[in-house]
Amino acid sequence: MYEPIRTKSVHAHGPHRSREEELDIRLAGHFTALLTVTDELRVLAPAAALDDAAARLALRVERLLGHSPLRAAPTEGVADAAHVTALHQRAHMLAGQALVVATQRGDAPSTALAAERLHAHAGFLFP
């Protein structure tokens, strides 16, 4: 009939994360992705507001994970308006995702940061 399973299940025992830990990891991931896009925007369209946002995003990720986020080196290039708009769209989407997770966590500082970034990128996209 059926041959018995001879290997251990990939769903076997082991340490499991709590819901809060999973939400922390997801939120840190969204903020790290948002930080990467923010760093790209800082190179293509420098602004003090973006510098401030990048610093606060990095600090928030550090508080969530316990260590500084990995940061990719932004690409050098010409500030093509279509590319800058696409980056703002991506940042807007990431900020929205972070806002949802931060709200689920009940994390007021993260919720405020995500909402602020969502509003800032929406201001660029929908003047």
Side-chain angles (χ1 to χ4, degrees), residues 24-127:
D24 284 352
I25 292 166
R26 283 183 57 203
L27 183 58
H30 291 312
F31 277 150
T32 300
L34 181 56
L35 177 58
T36 300
V37 175
T38 302
D39 284 341
E40 288 283 329
L41 283 168
R42 289 173 56 214
V43 168
L44 297 176
L50 289 172
D51 293 340
D52 179 57
R56 291 183 331 176
L57 286 166
L59 183 61
R60 178 66 26 204
V61 171
E62 187 173 340
R63 286 186 180 155
L64 288 167
L65 295 180
H67 58 82
S68 298
L70 295 175
R71 292 176 86 164
T75 56
E76 298 292 330
V78 179
D80 177 16
H83 183 63
V84 170
T85 299
L87 288 172
H88 278 289
Q89 288 172 333
R90 175 85 174 133
H92 185 263
M93 183 202 61
L94 289 166
Q97 290 173 341
L99 180 60
V100 169
V101 176
T103 302
Q104 288 176 339
R105 281 184 79 240
D107 182 348
S110 293
T111 300
L113 178 59
E116 174 197 306
R117 297 315 312 146
L118 185 72
H119 181 71
H121 294 292
F124 179 85
L125 295 170
F126 313 109

Side-chain angles (χ1 to χ4, degrees), residues 8-23:
K8 290 187 178 185
S9 170
V10 295
H11 303 289
H13 321 289
H16 295 284
R17 293 186 193 111
S18 68
R19 182 176 187 275
E20 292 76 24
E21 290 170 325
E22 289 292 337
L23 289 175

